[in-house]
Amino acid sequence: MSTTRFLTGITTTGTPHLGNFVGSIRPSVQASLRPGVQSFYFLADYHALIKCEDPVRIQRSTLEIAASWLASGLNPEKVTFYRQSDIPEIPELTWLLTCVTGKGLLNRAHAYKAAQDKNAAAGREPDDGVTAGLFMYPVLMGADILMFKAHKVPVGRDQVQHIEMARDMGASFNHLYGEHFVLPEAVIDDHVATLPGLDGRKMSKSYDNTIPLFSSREQLKKLISGILTDSRAPGEPKETEGSALFQIYQAFATADETAALRQAYADGIAWGDAKQLLFERVDQVVAPMREQYEALIHNPARIEATLLAGAERARQIATPFLRELRAAVGLRSLVQAAAPQKAAKAAKAALPSFKQYREIDGKFYFKLVAADGRLLLQSTGFAAPKDAGQAIARLQQDPDALQALAPCLAPVPGATEAEARAALHALAEAAGA
């Protein structure tokens, strides 16, 4: 069975809440147990520096998040669980990627554009308050992903752009220095639950409406008692649609339990009774984990040892890979023979090459360019980057696939099929040499 690498980062700026557990922690822990999956989970403390300038908060959040994931069942023996700042190869890779990433690409990053739009609305200079860290953090994220040759990166829809940018960075580096990076794909699960908070809006630290995952039993009951409800009295039928109480209960209950509460709503259950049911159901799930969490949170040395062991495992991959990348860009020992390198570079320069890219229409394209710069093949637009990549791979493996892929190719004035076929055969021979 082939192995697929999944990678997930968790920013260390807050305390995990019920929404984090339902939307990220629980499904991630379950996914890590699937056969054929190799999982990487990291605490993104470098990223946290962009959002938070309180060192105590960052350290405390790192402790709380690590304890929460471990208490929720993440097995550090089965996954690679590490702290981003314990991998010095990541910031070095960030610089290598910075050198192949166009500023125009970073100009289009959602977070940077949002900051500029906010400044424009307030009548300020476009880059007022924008740090280089905010502008460059898509490159750091690209390094996180590309370092471990992740195939899949689970993200929300608002994060898909970052995966596409990581693909662009990896493709640019591969085009210049040879095939080193795996180009990742975003994994979007539209069925991941999003929990409402105390006020009915999405549970979020930004809204200050969260229920901490490992609140004490007493605090959990108090917070659930404060969930916003309407004014319908006991005995009056109540709607499950839009009810924060019902949505949270559904995320923790079985299908039969959910159906029973739905009927209780129709029968006019009192809000106080509904809140008591919710408290009991959530506490039933959380209580065993809470005990483990408390044991971990009061033993930071154990968590530190776990993270350092994960970092050691991660660096067994990162250290030799960065050595390979350094050699690829020319950061090599001066005693290495220059002649063979020049010969290899000349041979590579004499070969045609593929270039995959994205146009302003949002579609993905590729082209085959001869060693002298002439365009030999031009694709039409693909809806997904993997489709364009698969077409390239097919042509590289079988030059005779030109006929089958003809519907995906656009006419190129002055270029003949024979020239394209010859170029593909040259690539195939070089790959097999």
Side-chain angles (χ1 to χ4, degrees):
M1 180 183 295
S2 61
T3 299
T4 301
R5 283 187 179 177
F6 281 74
L7 182 139
T8 298
I10 312 110
T11 307
T12 56
T13 54
T15 299
H17 52 70
L18 295 186
N20 297 140
F21 176 73
V22 169
S24 178
I25 300 175
R26 185 172 64 185
S28 295
V29 170
Q30 292 170 348
S32 72
L33 302 176
R34 294 201 305 260
V37 168
Q38 186 178 16
S39 298
F40 291 74
Y41 297 97
F42 69 95
L43 304 176
D45 49 353
Y46 278 144
H47 287 289
L49 300 180
I50 299 166
K51 303 177 181 179
C52 179
E53 296 176 351
D54 180 354
V56 174
R57 174 68 268 178
I58 287 176
Q59 183 185 31
R60 179 66 186 179
S61 179
T62 301
L63 177 66
E64 291 175 347
I65 290 173
S68 296
W69 280 72
L70 293 170
S72 299
L74 189 70
N75 185 346
E77 299 299 321
K78 300 290 186 182
V79 305
T80 304
F81 185 48
Y82 59 97
R83 183 170 38 203
Q84 184 187 34
S85 60
D86 287 331
I87 316 297
E89 291 82 3
I90 288 175
E92 185 168 355
L93 176 54
T94 300
W95 179 249
L96 297 185
L97 294 177
T98 298
C99 295
V100 300
T101 301
K103 181 176 180 292
L105 180 70
L106 300 179
N107 285 341
R108 297 192 290 274
H110 294 326
Y112 176 58
K113 289 176 67 177
Q116 289 199 313
D117 291 344
K118 185 177 180 180
N119 282 335
R124 298 189 292 261
E125 290 292 320
D127 286 335
D128 184 56
V130 176
T131 65
L134 174 65
F135 185 71
M136 295 296 298
Y137 93 92
V139 188
L140 176 58
M141 186 176 291
D144 291 325
I145 298 166
L146 295 170
M147 174 62 79
F148 297 105
K149 299 186 178 181
H151 302 100
K152 308 284 187 181
V153 184
V155 291
R157 289 196 175 276
D158 60 338
Q159 293 288 311
V160 170
Q161 185 196 47
H162 293 124
I163 313 306
E164 293 175 348
M165 294 172 82
R167 287 180 62 89
D168 288 341
M169 295 170 202
S172 295
F173 191 98
N174 287 350
H175 179 67
L176 288 170
Y177 301 111
E179 296 293 322
H180 296 279
F181 292 119
V182 170
L183 303 187
E185 294 181 15
V187 177
I188 306 166
D189 188 349
D190 289 323
H191 298 97
V192 168
T194 300
L195 291 192
L198 300 173
D199 56 3
R201 293 182 295 176
K202 175 184 175 182
M203 190 176 292
S204 170
K205 295 183 288 287
S206 302
Y207 297 143
D208 193 25
N209 66 351
T210 65
I211 301 175
L213 175 57
F214 292 115
S215 305
S216 67
R217 181 178 167 85
E218 295 73 21
Q219 184 188 14
L220 177 64
K221 186 171 185 177
K222 181 178 179 181
L223 289 170
I224 288 176
S225 296
I227 292 176
L228 188 66
T229 55
D230 60 34
S231 59
R232 276 177 278 195
E236 288 187 70
K238 296 169 177 62
E239 298 291 336
T240 58
E241 185 70 28
S243 168
L245 278 173
F246 186 83
Q247 290 178 52
I248 298 173
Y249 185 87
Q250 186 175 30
F252 286 86
T254 65
D256 288 344
E257 289 169 334
T258 300
L261 183 60
R262 189 185 301 276
Q263 184 60 50
Y265 264 56
D267 295 340
I269 187 174
W271 287 126
D273 293 338
K275 289 177 178 180
Q276 180 64 25
L277 283 175
L278 174 59
F279 162 68
E280 291 172 356
R281 192 65 190 85
V282 172
D283 191 60
Q284 184 179 344
V285 173
V286 172
M289 299 187 298
R290 184 190 293 126
E291 184 178 352
Q292 175 70 0
Y293 175 82
E294 290 298 331
L296 286 165
I297 209 78
H298 291 103
N299 189 0
R302 178 180 167 190
I303 296 177
E304 182 72 12
T306 298
L307 293 175
L308 291 177
E312 183 177 355
R313 186 181 306 169
R315 293 197 69 196
Q316 289 174 1
I317 298 171
T319 301
F321 186 39
L322 189 68
R323 191 182 304 125
E324 171 190 323
L325 298 176
R326 286 172 62 91
V329 301
L331 304 180
R332 311 178 181 123
S333 167
L334 299 180
V335 301
Q336 292 179 352
Q341 295 166 7
K342 289 180 180 178
K345 185 175 180 180
K348 180 183 173 184
L351 289 172
S353 60
F354 278 101
K355 174 67 175 176
Q356 184 176 338
Y357 56 97
R358 191 179 189 186
E359 280 290 6
I360 196 169
D361 61 3
K363 293 184 178 180
F364 298 85
Y365 296 79
F366 69 80
K367 58 187 176 183
L368 177 64
V369 181
D372 60 6
R374 289 182 302 112
L375 183 63
L376 299 178
L377 284 179
Q378 172 64 62
S379 78
T380 54
F382 293 84
K386 69 175 181 180
D387 296 332
Q390 288 171 353
I392 292 173
R394 187 174 175 186
L395 288 169
Q396 289 174 324
Q397 294 165 8
D398 180 14
D400 296 326
L402 265 175
Q403 287 278 24
L405 291 172
C408 303
L409 300 174
V412 178
T416 66
E417 181 180 334
E419 285 181 305
R421 193 181 299 276
L424 292 171
H425 277 289
L427 280 175
E429 290 173 6

